[in-house]
Amino acid sequence: MHKLVHAWGCDRLTRDEQARYSRATFELIVEVVEMAESGRTAPEDKLRVVPHVMESFAALGDRGNKVSEGVVDELEGVGLFLNHIGKWREGREIQEVVLDGRRRILGEEHPDTISAMSNLAIALGDQGQLDEATIHH
């Protein structure tokens, strides 16, 4: 989102309106990521979307709300996409939120929580952070 539009939104919209628009923006980002993962996007375009992904992710977090199960599902795909294109730091940041959400919503022993732990551990391992990966796996 352009900085002026963002500033206007923060200045003029209620918190609920900001949350609704942030969610709508995130939905668009998810669609772009799904297109990129399906191979319908040129490799250089995948890298161009990263700043927008992270800005949208930050806006979701700025609302002070814990993410819902549906958002956690979408975040998981976005985090995996970032790891696939070599944006490990960004992917890790999102995967940590996914793991926290899975634990909160589903509990520690749920298969989706364990899968989120595994995804985070793999991402950490790919970055050479083996000690930390062992803790999460």
Side-chain angles (χ1 to χ4, degrees), residues 65-135:
N65 298 325
K66 293 185 177 181
V67 291
S68 67
E69 187 169 359
V71 173
V72 171
D73 292 342
E74 292 167 340
L75 279 171
E76 185 169 44
V78 170
L80 292 172
F81 162 76
L82 291 169
N83 286 333
H84 290 159
I85 64 170
K87 293 297 186 178
W88 297 299
R89 181 184 52 79
E90 294 88 344
R92 173 190 177 172
E93 187 177 337
I94 290 175
Q95 287 179 338
E96 287 173 344
V97 170
V98 169
L99 179 55
D100 289 342
R102 295 276 190 236
R103 283 179 169 150
R104 179 178 47 80
I105 296 166
L106 303 172
E108 197 73 33
E109 301 298 321
H110 192 279
D112 290 346
T113 303
I114 294 168
S115 177
M117 282 182 216
S118 177
N119 289 338
L120 180 56
I122 290 167
L124 290 166
D126 288 345
Q127 295 176 61
Q129 298 176 3
L130 301 178
D131 290 340
E132 196 166 344
T134 305
I135 293 169

Side-chain angles (χ1 to χ4, degrees), residues 29 46-57 82 90:
I29 293 293
K46 291 179 181 182
L47 292 175
R48 283 190 196 132
V49 77
V50 173
H52 303 287
V53 167
M54 296 313 293
E55 204 50 49
S56 180
F57 172 65
L82 291 169
E90 294 88 344

